[in-house]
Amino acid sequence: MRSDSLAFRLVAGAALWSAIALVAGGLILSAIFRNSVERSFDSRLNVLLHSLIATTEVNEQGEIVRQGGLSETRFDLAYSGWYWQIWPVAPRPALRSRSLFDQSLDLSPAEKVERNQIGLKIFDTQGPENQPLRVVERRVTLPGYDVPVSFAVAGDRSEMNAEIQGFNTWVFIAMGAMGAGLLVALLIQVRFGLRPLERVRKSLAQIRSGRATQLEGEFPAEIQPLADELNGLLEGNREVLERARTHVGNLAHALKTPLSVLTNEARTHDGPFGETVTRMTHQMREQIDHHLARARMAASANVLGAHTPVEPVLERISLALERIYQEQGIAIELDCPDDAGFRGEGQDLEEVAGNLLDNACKWAKSRVRVTVIPDAATRKARPFFCLRVEDDGPGLPEEARAAALKRGTRLDESKPGSGLGLSIVTEIAELYGGELKLESSSLGGLRAEIYLPAAAS
């Protein structure tokens, strides 16, 4: 998934907000659970504190004494983390649980947590062995005792911390699993949601390669207007090209008639004037034919959806040329894949193949070989095929090959022709983004290779 793709933006945006929501949810759950566990722990300590107060009284001698014990047995184990303490009980030392042994609780912490109950304090402190303690303390005035007495019960909060830590671990695991599940769901959703765009891309690729003329199939309501507009654009493009071809034909017809009249009139005048007019009208006719042909080829080269099978065109031209050159005994060998396709107009392919094969037959002794090589090159991210035409004639020297491609150049006047064939082929190849190459053939003569855009059948 590319970082500049729409799918990446959708997934990244949703994943970011999901991560924020999951982290916030985890923190809230952790805070709620922590508060619940602390309240439960404080409630337990408060119950023990009330039991401690209830079992404490002042005797006849005015001394604070304990009557009975507490339900928590860990108050009797030395440094167990569970302690209670009563002070002051002058003139005696503070009363404390056996678990404190010879130590005392520090009931003057730096920070105290006040509760709503009057006189109740809940805070954290350190125990005799640096144990983290949770302490509840209440000052009570006992009957027969003039000084307010402080009752304190402390419990080891490491148990509470372990419980909170365990819960946080499971919350982290659950949120991580939920996040992974959401990410997978997002990927699936984005893939499924953007699938119609992939269909549009493939349809456009089919149009570009010549396998289709418009976007086909049903699309979601959000994409259907886009598909309709694209189909309308393609149809409008075809109509514009068709009108351009019509205008080109009309222009050619309109110009040829006056030129024919001028030519005929010039022939009736002997002398330099008639010869000059005849020569100029002939050049004008050639220029008109040349530029009109280029305009037609330029328009057809950009037609979207144009597709021409290669093999039928080559078979038809080969059969016609074998009949024409039957007296010379020319045999044309054709090797072309059945699925070879040309992404362009059939007239252009016929023009290219006809000129190359006719040129080869003119110079061949007895053999012409035609080969179509699919996927011969890639230009502008498009596949090109190679049409190779070889003959067993005398060939062409390397220094003369560039001159042979120039318009109107004839290297041998003994052969019929205007010298325009290879230049027309070169122009068509360039209009389609290809090229024409002339090299030596393994048959002994000339090898012409032209690269044209390929279209899947």
Side-chain angles (χ1 to χ4, degrees), residues 49-68 84 86 88-90 92 95 140-147 149 151:
L49 178 64
H50 286 126
S51 298
L52 179 64
I53 295 174
T55 57
T56 303
E57 62 182 19
V58 179
N59 60 16
E60 295 178 355
Q61 288 76 27
E63 297 176 346
I64 296 177
V65 294
R66 290 277 331 286
Q67 300 292 332
W84 60 261
I86 304 173
V89 289
R92 295 170 50 192
L95 295 177
V140 179
T141 301
L142 296 175
Y145 202 82
D146 298 334
V147 180
V149 179
F151 290 83

Side-chain angles (χ1 to χ4, degrees), residues 180-352:
L182 285 175
L183 183 59
V184 173
L186 285 172
L187 291 173
I188 295 174
Q189 181 181 1
V190 169
R191 288 290 184 184
F192 179 77
L194 297 181
R195 185 174 298 174
L197 291 180
E198 180 66 16
R199 288 171 49 202
V200 171
R201 186 195 66 79
K202 291 181 179 179
S203 296
L204 289 175
Q206 289 179 342
I207 293 173
R208 184 178 179 85
S209 64
R211 288 176 288 180
T213 58
Q214 63 178 2
L215 296 177
E216 300 176 351
E218 296 293 331
F219 297 96
E222 294 81 4
I223 300 179
Q224 188 63 47
L226 173 62
D228 294 339
E229 291 296 328
L230 285 174
N231 285 334
L233 180 62
L234 293 172
E235 184 63 29
N237 181 57
R238 283 191 290 268
E239 291 177 359
V240 169
L241 290 175
E242 190 61 34
R243 286 197 297 268
R245 290 176 180 176
T246 301
H247 292 321
V248 166
N250 294 338
L251 178 61
H253 180 73
L255 291 176
K256 285 182 178 180
T257 300
L259 286 176
S260 298
V261 173
L262 288 175
T263 302
N264 292 332
E265 289 294 328
R267 289 174 181 173
T268 62
H269 293 78
D270 296 331
F273 176 77
E275 293 177 358
T276 301
V277 172
T278 300
R279 185 172 63 256
M280 290 297 101
T281 54
H282 180 71
Q283 292 180 3
M284 291 172 63
R285 186 186 298 275
E286 285 188 349
Q287 291 295 324
I288 290 172
D289 291 339
H290 169 64
H291 289 291
L292 290 179
R294 287 200 60 155
R296 182 192 64 79
M297 289 186 295
S300 62
N302 294 304
V303 174
L304 293 175
H307 171 232
T308 303
V310 176
E311 187 177 26
V313 174
L314 296 180
E315 288 181 347
R316 185 166 60 253
I317 295 175
S318 299
L319 182 61
L321 290 175
E322 282 183 339
R323 291 177 180 176
I324 294 174
Y325 294 95
Q326 185 175 5
E327 295 183 359
Q328 285 87 348
I330 302 298
I332 300 178
E333 305 172 6
L334 178 60
D335 181 12
C336 177
D338 297 337
D339 59 348
F342 167 56
R343 198 187 68 80
E345 292 288 325
Q347 297 175 358
D348 295 333
L349 181 61
E350 291 177 359
E351 186 82 15
V352 168

